[in-house]
Amino acid sequence: MDRTAQLMNPSTERSIAYDPPGSSHSLHVRAARVLEGNWTGASTVPSPSLYPHQWSWDSAFIAIGLRHLSPLRAQTELETLLAAQWGDGRIPHIVFNPSVPLDQYFPSPDFWRSSTAGHTAGAPRTVQTSGIVQPPVHALAAWLVHRADPGLSRARGFLARVYPRLAAWHRYLLHRRDLGGGGLASVVHPWEQGMDNSPSWDLPLSRVTPAPARSFRRADLDHGAPEDRPTDLDYGRYVRLAMDYRDAGYADGGGFAVEDPSFNALLIASEHALARIAEELGAPGTARHARAERLTAALVERLWDPASGMFLCRDLRWPAPDGRGTLIPERGVSGMVPLLLPDLPPGIAAALLRTLRGPHFGLGTTTRLVPSYDLLGEAFDPHRYWRGPAWFNTAWLLERGLRTHGEQQQADALRESVLELAGAGDFAEYVDPYTGEACGTTGFSWTAALALDLLHDDTTVAYDTTATNGITATADLGFKGGNLR
């Protein structure tokens, strides 16, 4: 029996959580084949041609989907990533596969020089990584993976092994990355936030002198259309920022520092999940839930913009009279992701829902999935990476957020759109938000994984149907007061 068949056959692994549909032509089977094809033996690459290594937040989303096929493989996915954690607690955004030729992806290991330039920060010696990070979805993923098969998880000591690493990761973000002094974590490179070329970065990037074009070669253009990818000017600035960070020994606090709403919302969600993990291990989770609530208050205080009806990024290096930096006046999907959080003030949650449905994002009226950037913004481009196209990971997060705040009907509609477009586009990296046309590469791992997760909503009792503190249908994401099965 081949490995794809094993993944699809629930009898081949102890206590697989869900029985797959029987049809060999089903979306389930097609998604399983993508994940099997992108498996390296210890982790899953996002795309064999375009992204041939292990990416941090990709692996978290991939594990969330893999739990429905193989809870053991989902656990392994996260364990492989966490094994490359640095001594200071950071989880690097790329773990490099040494069998991949250096010229297949840039920036390659010889650019980052993690084991030498990152020595002071505790970079591992036995594996090469990048030196920056990505959004902290990992504790949330670990909790959901555990819940897929608690018996297997307990037998392997999965949570007991990953908890100290996840706790160290959160400590790094909450202490070393609180560059604004207001309690929120900052990103020091656009790649860290995950939405690489969002117009929200244009202003802070404009102060960065780009690296000379002759100093690097963009391998991404060998596999993706130039009109879909970041421009050469933006890429030169990304390279310059990464070089400066590397040459400073990966010490935090340089010339680029931005507080981002989705990065911090995911940290809050994972802090709630880390509390649930602690409780599962017999320790109190009260302090972590309380910390998540304080972070939610800080998120509102520092990044909420009533005039925009959403959260905005704060540029800490853009001078302002109060010394707190300045909000960046660009509406990106990042500012909608805090809808995921259960403790938002009701008025703010209601305003976010209005903005999501309004002319800037058009969900349910003009767009199939939520665009990555303001439909009315001057920089909007429906095909260029994070400057307009819709992505499946943000759709998954917002589908969870809609359910968290009781918007079942719209969550159902968004779920159906995700499943339809994921299948029609051969699990594309991202899509045109209006038409659903596939963009970027196909056979993309987190698209397949998150489609699997939404596909299995029909086969599990995934949400509370009772109201808790005024919130109904809370998604099972590890939040206090939600459906913590």
Side-chain angles (χ1 to χ4, degrees), residues 390-465:
W391 289 71
F392 290 90
N393 64 330
T394 53
W396 183 87
L397 292 167
L398 290 171
E399 195 268 357
R400 307 289 90 172
L402 288 166
R403 294 198 191 280
T404 293
H405 294 281
E407 299 293 324
Q408 287 272 43
Q409 185 174 356
Q410 189 145 31
D412 289 343
L414 180 55
R415 172 183 174 273
E416 290 304 313
S417 290
V418 168
L419 295 176
E420 177 189 345
L421 296 178
D426 195 20
F427 304 102
E429 188 178 2
Y430 47 94
V431 298
D432 182 305
Y434 291 119
T435 67
E437 174 192 351
C439 302
T441 191
T442 56
F444 199 68
S445 289
W446 78 26
T447 303
L450 296 176
L452 271 173
D453 191 61
L454 293 180
L455 191 65
H456 281 280
D457 277 358
D458 283 345
T459 61
T460 74
V461 180
Y463 309 107
D464 247 338
T465 56

Side-chain angles (χ1 to χ4, degrees), residues 68-302:
H68 302 293
L69 301 173
S70 168
L72 177 59
R73 184 173 289 190
Q75 292 175 28
T76 302
E77 183 80 35
L78 295 174
E79 290 165 347
T80 299
L81 177 69
L82 291 172
Q85 186 173 28
W86 289 28
D88 63 4
R90 80 182 76 193
I91 297 174
H93 98 295
I94 302 174
V95 181
F96 289 106
N97 181 345
S99 68
V100 174
L102 290 179
D103 63 358
Q104 189 172 338
Y105 180 81
F106 179 85
S108 50
D110 56 341
F111 172 90
W112 295 103
R113 306 172 198 162
S114 60
S115 59
T116 54
H119 174 72
T120 302
R125 293 185 175 276
T126 57
V127 63
Q128 293 296 309
T129 76
S130 66
I132 59 175
V133 303
Q134 275 191 321
V137 200
H138 311 89
L140 173 58
W143 173 250
L144 294 177
V145 166
H146 165 77
R147 294 308 304 151
D149 190 339
L152 175 67
S153 175
R154 291 170 187 142
R156 295 188 67 245
F158 170 64
L159 292 182
R161 283 183 288 108
V162 301
Y163 180 82
R165 291 183 176 273
L166 294 170
W169 168 223
H170 285 211
R171 281 196 301 274
Y172 168 77
L173 293 174
L174 291 167
H175 297 287
R176 295 282 296 276
R177 288 300 189 89
D178 183 10
L179 302 179
L184 298 182
S186 297
V187 297
V188 300
H189 194 291
W191 288 340
E192 292 198 312
Q193 191 265 358
M195 303 176 190
D196 301 5
N197 69 328
S198 167
S200 296
W201 310 126
D202 289 355
L203 183 61
L205 277 176
S206 69
R207 300 190 296 268
V208 177
T209 301
R214 64 183 181 277
S215 66
F216 61 92
R217 190 189 77 82
R218 293 183 59 178
D220 63 317
L221 298 183
D222 295 340
H223 308 285
E227 61 271 19
D228 287 354
R229 306 291 299 170
T231 65
D232 286 344
L233 177 60
D234 284 340
Y235 216 90
R237 287 170 168 154
Y238 303 152
V239 171
R240 172 67 69 186
L241 275 178
M243 289 170 58
D244 290 349
Y245 192 41
R246 176 199 66 198
D247 294 345
Y250 296 110
D252 297 315
F256 185 102
V258 177
E259 293 174 347
D260 172 77
S262 67
F263 192 98
N264 281 281
L266 292 171
L267 176 60
I268 294 165
S270 277
E271 190 68 16
H272 277 300
L274 205 55
R276 295 301 296 152
I277 292 171
E279 291 164 0
E280 169 68 23
L281 295 173
T286 308
R288 291 198 177 278
H289 281 308
R291 181 180 296 119
E293 291 167 2
R294 290 195 301 272
L295 286 168
T296 301
L299 183 74
V300 170
E301 195 273 329
R302 293 183 67 81

